[in-house]
Amino acid sequence: MWAEQTKAYAKGDVKGTKLSTYAAALALSGTEDDLKDLRSKDIVTTGAPTHKATVTLLDMDKKVPHAKLTDCLDSTGWKFVYRKSGKRVEMPKDRLVRYVTKVEAEKWGKQWKIVDVTPQQHAC
C-alpha cells in the first residue's frame, strides 16, 4: 500500500496507481482527501517514507479476517515540494518526522487491504 500511496503523492493523484488494490475505506478516502488538498496548493512529494511495522493483533476467525499493526513511519526522506518550481515546502520545525501510526487491515477474499491508518502524535 505504501509504495502505491507514495506514487500517488508524487504525482498528486491516485489515478494511474494501484492504491485501491491495497487500500480501502478510510485509508483510501483519507489519501484521496489529502491529495485533493495538496493539488489545490500545487504540492507533490519526492522521495519516500520508510516503515517498520509489527503486527499487534491478528484475528483470522472473524467473518472478515482482521489485523492491527503498529508502524514507525519515518518521513525523513519524503519531501513536499511545489510542483512547478520544485522548491521545498516549509514545514514547522517541531514537526515529527518519525512517528507511530496505528494501522488496521482486513482480508477481502485473498487480498489484505489497509482500511485505516491513524498517525499518532508521538515519536517512535
Side-chain angles (χ1 to χ4, degrees), residues 2-91:
W2 273 107
E4 293 301 313
Q5 188 176 46
T6 300
K7 288 178 193 175
Y9 275 83
K11 58 193 279 183
D13 203 326
V14 296
K15 292 177 186 164
T17 72
K18 296 179 182 176
L19 185 61
S20 63
T21 300
Y22 307 105
L26 293 173
L28 182 57
S29 64
T31 298
E32 290 170 334
D33 289 345
D34 285 349
L35 288 170
K36 182 178 179 182
D37 180 54
L38 291 172
R39 268 194 313 274
S40 75
K41 298 170 184 165
D42 203 33
I43 294 172
V44 294
T45 60
T46 61
T50 60
H51 304 271
K52 185 172 182 179
T54 57
V55 176
T56 56
L57 176 129
L58 181 61
D59 188 348
M60 297 298 290
D61 296 327
K62 289 181 114 178
K63 183 175 182 179
V64 177
H66 183 83
K68 290 186 179 186
L69 301 94
T70 299
D71 186 11
C72 178
L73 184 138
D74 185 344
S75 64
T76 304
W78 202 27
K79 306 299 181 196
F80 290 82
V81 298
Y82 293 100
R83 181 190 305 268
K84 290 180 184 166
S85 69
K87 183 180 175 186
R88 266 195 191 171
V89 175
E90 288 294 323
M91 296 295 201

